[in-house]
């Protein structure tokens, strides 16, 4: 008797594994699942009776105009040295072979806004700045210190007009200078040393 029960259990187990036994239904009839292959959508052929179709123009995306920080050429002046960077830098042994020369400079601030009464009170306030210290190479004495007049406030420039580039004239040259540049929170700066052509 035990062998018969064991044999029935083995046959039932084998049938369940092979998938021959259907699960018992709760009385409700289940509809068979049908699968259908999707037919790809057909693309209609282009109508060539009117000639070759012309492509429609693509719409150009324009962005808001940005302030420019480029230094334009000056009539009657030749650039003898250009210094570019984003932070602190020292350039030595710049020979100015003329008694008259000009310093042209510009900067592109990284942050919007500038220094005002409210931001001065904040210890964590960060401002863009540019300082150019010109040092006589032979004596080590500071010849001049230059900063953008009014600071670097690009938000103000959008309302009042872009003052860049700035320039400074010198009537004492025929010397060798070192340029010590201190730049903070700037995307870039450009400094041109120019003499008469």
């Amino acid at each position: 008797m035990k062998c018969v029960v064991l044999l029935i259990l083995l046959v039932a187990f084998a049938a369940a594994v092979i998938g021959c036994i259907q699960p018992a239904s709760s009385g409700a009839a289940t509809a068979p699942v049908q699968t259908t292959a999707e037919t790809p959508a057909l693309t209609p052929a282009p109508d060539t009776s009117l000639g070759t179709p012309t492509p429609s123009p693509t719409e150009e995306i324009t962005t808001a105009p940005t302030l420019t920080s480029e230094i334009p050429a000056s009539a009657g002046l030749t650039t003898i040295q250009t210094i570019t960077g984003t932070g602190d830098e020292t350039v030595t042994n710049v020979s100015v072979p003329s008694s008259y020369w000009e310093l042209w400079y510009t900067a592109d601030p990284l942050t919007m806004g500038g220094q005002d009464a409210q931001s001065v009170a904040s210890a964590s306030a960060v401002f863009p700045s540019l300082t150019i210290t010109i040092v006589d190479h032979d004596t080590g004495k500071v010849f001049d210190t230059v900063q953008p007049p009014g600071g670097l406030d690009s938000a103000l420039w959008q309302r009042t007009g872009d003052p860049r580039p700035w320039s400074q004239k010198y009537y004492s040259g025929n010397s060798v200078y070192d340029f010590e540049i201190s730049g903070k929170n700037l995307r870039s700066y450009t400094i041109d040393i120019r003499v008469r052509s």
Side-chain angles (χ1 to χ4, degrees), residues 9-23:
L9 286 174
L10 269 169
V11 171
F13 178 75
V17 170
I18 295 174
C20 296
I21 297 178
Q22 295 288 334

Side-chain angles (χ1 to χ4, degrees), residues 163-186:
R164 298 172 294 175
W166 299 278
S167 66
Q168 185 75 33
K169 297 178 181 180
Y170 297 103
Y171 296 92
S172 175
N174 291 316
S175 188
V176 178
Y177 299 100
D178 298 335
F179 290 82
E180 298 171 358
I181 300 117
S182 173
K184 304 279 187 259
N185 299 307
L186 301 175

Side-chain angles (χ1 to χ4, degrees), residues 68-75 77 79 104 106 164-166 192 194:
T68 179
S69 64
E70 294 180 7
I71 301 178
S74 314
L77 293 175
T79 300
W104 287 71
T106 186
R164 298 172 294 175
W166 299 278
D192 280 357
R194 298 177 176 183

Side-chain angles (χ1 to χ4, degrees), residues 2-70:
K2 289 181 181 177
C3 289
V4 173
V5 171
L6 187 59
L7 186 62
I8 292 172
L9 286 174
L10 269 169
V11 171
F13 178 75
V17 170
I18 295 174
C20 296
I21 297 178
Q22 295 288 334
S25 70
S26 61
T30 56
V33 177
Q34 294 181 348
T35 59
T36 58
E38 290 186 27
T39 9
L42 298 176
T43 305
D47 183 11
T48 57
S49 63
L50 301 175
T52 307
T54 56
S56 61
T58 57
E59 183 178 335
E60 288 188 26
I61 299 173
T62 57
T63 58
T66 57
L67 299 170
T68 179
S69 64
E70 294 180 7

Side-chain angles (χ1 to χ4, degrees), residues 124-148:
S124 63
V126 180
F127 308 107
S129 66
L130 176 66
T131 303
I132 305 163
T133 304
I134 306 168
V135 178
D136 186 295
H137 181 74
D138 296 328
T139 65
K141 292 184 180 177
V142 173
F143 175 74
D144 195 14
T145 300
V146 180
Q147 292 180 320

